[in-house]
Amino acid sequence: MKSNFYHSKLITFLIIPSLLIVTSIFVFLKLPSSSPTNENNDCHQTNLPYQNSKLTIDERVTDVMSRMTDAEKIGQMVLIEKNSINNINDISKYNLGALLSGGGAGPKTDTPLAWLQMINNFQDAAKDTCLGIPLLYGIDSVHGHGNVLGATIFPHAIGLGASQDPDLVKRVAKATADEMAATGIYWNFAPNLDVVRDIRWGKTYETFGSNTDNVAQLGVAYLEGTQDSSSGYFNVLANPKHFIGGGNMIYGTSRNKDFQIEEGNITIDEKTLREVHLPPFQKAITAGARVIMVGTASWQDTKNSDNYHLLTEILKNEMKFSGFVVSDWYGVYLIENNKYNSLVRAVNAGIDMIMTPFDYKDFVSNMQKAVANEDITKERIDDAVKRILTVKFETGLFDRPEALAEGLSVIGSEEHREIAREAVRKSQVLLKNKNSVLPLSKTLKKIIVAGGSADNLGRQAGGWTTEWQGIDGNAGIVGTTILEAIKNTVSKDSEIDYNKEGNFANTNNLADVGIAIVGEKPYAEGWGDIANPILSPEDLLVIEKVQAKSKKIVVIIVSGRPLDIKDYAKNWDGIIASWLPGSEGQGVVDVLFGDFDFTGKLPVDWEL
Ligand code: GLC
């Protein structure tokens, strides 16, 4: 009994007090703990080293990572589509580090101010996380800030490819970035560096074409124009995509039953892959690319998202890419039916940020399980998070002031529209000019105009405009149609007669010139995969009707790719490849009536 008595006394008067003293020393001195904790005294602090813009980015990354829990690190590795956020408080609850707007995913009212307010609301929610790490917010502003009403809509990349003008492309990219930054969005999922090998692919118009050198040169120009900044951090982060081999998928191999090429299989050997598709990415990395998106394609039946040789051995080690690798839309989960296994394989292959893009809850739980099981090592997590945070600091997210409403005036500015008009001019390719019918005289007595793309901004713009798949019509875009531009340009004595279907009154006197403006309806990605790109029967009928009422006919083709016109081109006098010129239709008319020469060159083969 005695010994028990003394034993309990010993504990009461010696051991407990000494434990209390030791603990209070640790708590008081805050000795760095081996595993970061986020007790309240660490949360929402100011004046911490990572918040000090005078320190180097490495110092700031080291400091913030030393404070992060595994959960906070995992949250930096996921990219969520903003419409998948069930409750804005989930951003802090799950420590989410990145959001995106899928095509057309904007605020309820599509105005620049509403976009700015939406982004600022998301960033405010991120400030509620313990360490207040800002969100990286991405969007496909692939031909201007196309989701935003009133933005300047530039020619799609295929038209810029025809311009073969790096300085112009750099200015287009800078103007696009300025309009994005005005809304608080600093990550553009562009440029597309795919080298297209099959124009039946719906993404053809998103590329600069099929010439590796032209793609590389314009890709660098676009990246430099996007990231250009005098403020010590990127204006907007560019994002070369889709690593690697996009444009070379074999027709009919898509894993998606709705598509034929998108998400398909690339079968070329590694030598060809390196010769054709690698140079644009290497040049982009040398020029300062800091995030690269992996395509949803497969190479030799292995998903690019699951390919350690491509993503780690080649991209990160051989090409010395030190930024972060982001997966493409749901691409990781295409690896296998089991999401857990897919995540483990993708992260271990070299993907740092996963565009799930939907469910963040099961992403977080799967990743925490993978770390606990050591299926993904903590070193791999730290490598990915270090890459991501480094780029966040480089993009100024921790330092730049919140975008303000006053800056919105840059959106759709005259200066930007002039750049777009120049880009339109320089992208027009003269396919045929029989008896020098072009350029047209501004004093022609009578011109008839017809066709579904004559007075249709949506068709001029194509996909990724207002909506993911684009729109067919004039609502939702601010710009000038080709028809309006024609009317703006001819002399006051010239008669312009327009009928979309080509139905003109029966008269004996033929029009001096008939202009048929035809082409493709808007589409994006796999929805544009097609077996045989041709002019529709409606378009061919319009052309016939115009031809019957004109002395000469000029056909303007508004399309994302070459269309098969071999059987008809011989009957037409003038043919112009206009591509997808965007909001500034005046640029087409600048060359149509000779204020500027045709200088565009085919970015892809077009057999007449
Ligand atoms: C899409 C495209 C990719 C785009 C991404 C985000 O599916 O493949 O080019 O950047 O998802 O919208």
Side-chain angles (χ1 to χ4, degrees):
M1 281 301 286
K2 204 171 192 172
S3 62
N4 282 344
F5 171 75
Y6 278 116
H7 187 65
S8 63
K9 282 294 174 203
L10 179 69
I11 287 173
T12 307
F13 291 103
L14 188 60
I15 292 176
I16 289 176
S18 51
L19 277 176
L20 285 172
I21 291 162
V22 170
T23 309
S24 56
I25 288 169
F26 261 97
V27 170
F28 178 71
L29 293 177
K30 264 191 64 55
L31 296 179
S33 55
S34 57
S35 64
T37 58
N38 269 299
E39 290 138 16
N40 290 336
N41 60 359
D42 229 6
C43 289
H44 309 304
Q45 283 200 39
T46 56
N47 302 319
L48 295 176
Y50 74 90
Q51 297 161 330
N52 179 354
S53 60
K54 292 185 176 51
L55 296 184
T56 67
I57 287 179
D58 277 350
E59 288 168 332
R60 300 174 77 180
V61 169
T62 303
D63 178 63
V64 72
M65 286 190 70
S66 72
R67 303 170 189 277
M68 293 171 78
T69 61
D70 288 350
E72 287 169 318
K73 291 177 179 176
I74 285 168
Q76 290 297 312
M77 295 176 67
V78 68
L79 172 58
I80 297 296
E81 208 285 331
K82 67 103 180 170
N83 287 330
S84 299
I85 299 291
N86 309 319
N87 177 331
I88 199 162
N89 298 324
D90 281 355
I91 289 174
S92 56
K93 183 176 174 186
Y94 293 90
N95 302 294
L96 301 182
L99 297 181
L100 79 135
S101 277
K108 288 185 179 48
T109 50
D110 182 6
T111 66
L113 180 59
W115 275 89
L116 174 62
Q117 289 165 338
M118 177 182 82
I119 300 299
N120 287 345
N121 288 342
F122 282 130
Q123 290 293 7
D124 290 345
K127 286 173 187 154
D128 290 342
T129 54
C130 179
L131 298 172
I133 298 174
L135 288 167
L136 196 52
Y137 196 103
I139 196 168
D140 296 273
S141 294
V142 293
H143 67 141
H145 205 8
N147 286 309
V148 179
L149 176 63
T152 310
I153 307 298
F154 296 89
H156 266 294
I158 195 73
L160 300 181
S163 78
Q164 305 195 352
D165 184 339
D167 173 69
L168 168 72
V169 170
K170 191 169 183 177
R171 287 182 286 122
V172 167
K174 169 85 168 68
T176 300
D178 287 346
E179 296 199 17
M180 289 177 62
T183 58
I185 298 178
Y186 307 114
W187 183 14
N188 192 358
F189 301 135
N192 180 316
L193 298 185
D194 295 326
V195 178
V196 70
R197 280 286 176 271
D198 187 336
I199 54 110
R200 294 174 294 181
W201 185 37
K203 273 183 181 160
T204 295
Y205 70 73
E206 293 189 48
T207 77
F208 293 116
S210 58
N211 179 288
T212 296
D213 293 340
N214 194 37
V215 170
Q217 186 182 41
L218 299 184
V220 165
Y222 196 95
L223 179 130
E224 290 176 341
T226 302
Q227 297 190 159
D228 168 63
S229 163
S230 54
S231 57
Y233 41 74
F234 300 141
N235 185 14
V236 164
L237 185 62
N239 187 149
K241 66 186 184 182
H242 307 81
F243 195 80
I244 185 172
N248 228 144
M249 289 85 82
I250 301 302
Y251 188 92
T253 62
S254 174
R255 51 140 317 262
N256 183 322
K257 62 173 177 39
D258 293 324
F259 305 153
Q260 287 77 37
I261 294 184
E262 177 64 8
E263 297 180 16
N265 189 38
I266 300 158
T267 58
I268 51 179
D269 61 22
E270 181 162 339
K271 180 174 179 297
T272 308
L273 190 76
R274 284 174 174 273
E275 282 169 1
V276 174
H277 298 284
L278 192 138
F281 286 97
Q282 184 61 73
K283 295 223 167 39
I285 290 168
T286 306
R290 301 298 292 142
V291 52
I292 284 179
M293 186 186 292
V294 180
T296 53
S298 299
W299 177 45
Q300 297 179 1
D301 293 316
T302 297
K303 280 275 165 244
N304 284 2
S305 305
D306 183 28
N307 195 317
Y308 181 83
H309 176 57
L310 287 180
L311 303 186
T312 297
E313 291 177 343
I314 295 180
L315 178 57
K316 290 183 175 178
N317 297 343
E318 180 187 318
M319 298 170 76
K320 298 189 178 16
F321 177 61
S322 60
F324 72 84
V325 177
V326 64
S327 62
D328 190 1
W329 194 271
Y330 206 77
V332 163
Y333 292 143
L334 300 179
I335 293 172
E336 61 170 279
N337 286 335
N338 179 299
K339 283 188 171 182
Y340 176 87
N341 294 345
S342 294
L343 278 176
V344 168
R345 288 170 63 174
V347 173
N348 288 336
I351 288 186
D352 303 303
M353 183 187 284
I354 292 90
M355 187 193 301
T356 45
F358 308 117
D359 200 336
Y360 41 91
K361 294 173 188 170
D362 72 9
F363 171 86
V364 169
S365 62
N366 277 328
M367 288 293 285
Q368 286 175 327
K369 184 176 141 196
V371 171
N373 297 345
E374 297 186 351
D375 288 331
I376 298 176
T377 65
K378 289 206 172 189
E379 290 69 31
R380 180 66 194 90
I381 297 289
D382 283 350
D383 169 52
V385 174
K386 182 178 180 194
R387 288 169 178 264
I388 292 164
L389 289 174
T390 299
V391 175
K392 282 193 171 185
F393 280 109
E394 290 168 344
T395 313
L397 294 183
F398 287 81
D399 309 316
R400 63 199 314 163
E402 191 171 78
L404 299 173
E406 295 82 272
L408 294 171
S409 58
V410 74
I411 293 174
S413 68
E414 265 322 296
E415 181 197 351
H416 287 175
R417 291 186 187 277
E418 274 308 307
I419 296 171
R421 179 174 170 177
E422 176 191 348
V424 175
R425 282 198 295 269
K426 292 181 174 178
S427 61
Q428 303 304 292
V429 179
L430 185 55
L431 296 178
K432 182 178 180 182
N433 192 14
K434 184 180 171 189
N435 303 328
S436 301
V437 63
L438 292 169
L440 301 178
S441 160
K442 294 179 184 179
T443 56
L444 286 169
K445 275 188 70 54
K446 181 169 182 181
I447 298 174
I448 59 175
V449 182
S453 301
D455 195 31
N456 190 317
L457 288 170
R459 293 197 185 188
Q460 275 175 222
W464 299 102
T465 317
T466 306
E467 296 300 336
W468 175 41
Q469 294 294 312
I471 53 172
D472 196 355
N474 291 324
I477 302 175
V478 174
T480 307
T481 67
I482 300 169
L483 173 67
E484 288 166 343
I486 292 170
K487 290 178 177 174
N488 295 341
T489 303
V490 297
S491 72
K492 61 183 179 0
D493 301 327
S494 297
E495 180 194 349
I496 302 288
D497 192 357
Y498 166 67
N499 180 282
K500 183 178 164 187
E501 288 73 29
N503 299 322
F504 297 99
N506 281 323
T507 61
N508 295 329
N509 59 324
L510 295 178
D512 297 297
V513 171
I515 305 173
I517 309 172
V518 296
E520 294 185 302
K521 293 178 181 171
Y523 55 82
E525 307 196 71
W527 304 109
D529 289 356
I530 192 167
N532 180 20
I534 55 171
L535 279 176
S536 66
E538 295 79 18
D539 281 346
L540 292 169
L541 179 58
V542 164
I543 294 169
E544 262 181 48
K545 289 179 179 178
V546 168
Q547 198 154 18
K549 297 289 173 55
S550 318
K551 295 171 187 165
K552 303 250 183 199
I553 183 162
V554 173
V555 177
I556 300 176
I557 299 174
V558 177
S559 65
R561 56 191 155 199
L563 302 180
D564 182 354
I565 53 174
K566 281 195 295 297
D567 297 341
Y568 313 99
K570 57 184 175 297
N571 305 324
W572 305 337
D573 301 299
I575 308 173
I576 298 171
S578 193
W579 313 109
L580 296 172
S583 58
E584 306 314 306
Q586 192 67 50
V588 176
V589 173
D590 286 343
V591 289
L592 183 65
F593 286 92
D595 286 345
F596 290 83
D597 293 338
F598 284 93
T599 56
K601 295 180 181 60
L602 282 177
V604 288
D605 292 341
W606 191 330
E607 196 188 336
L608 289 186

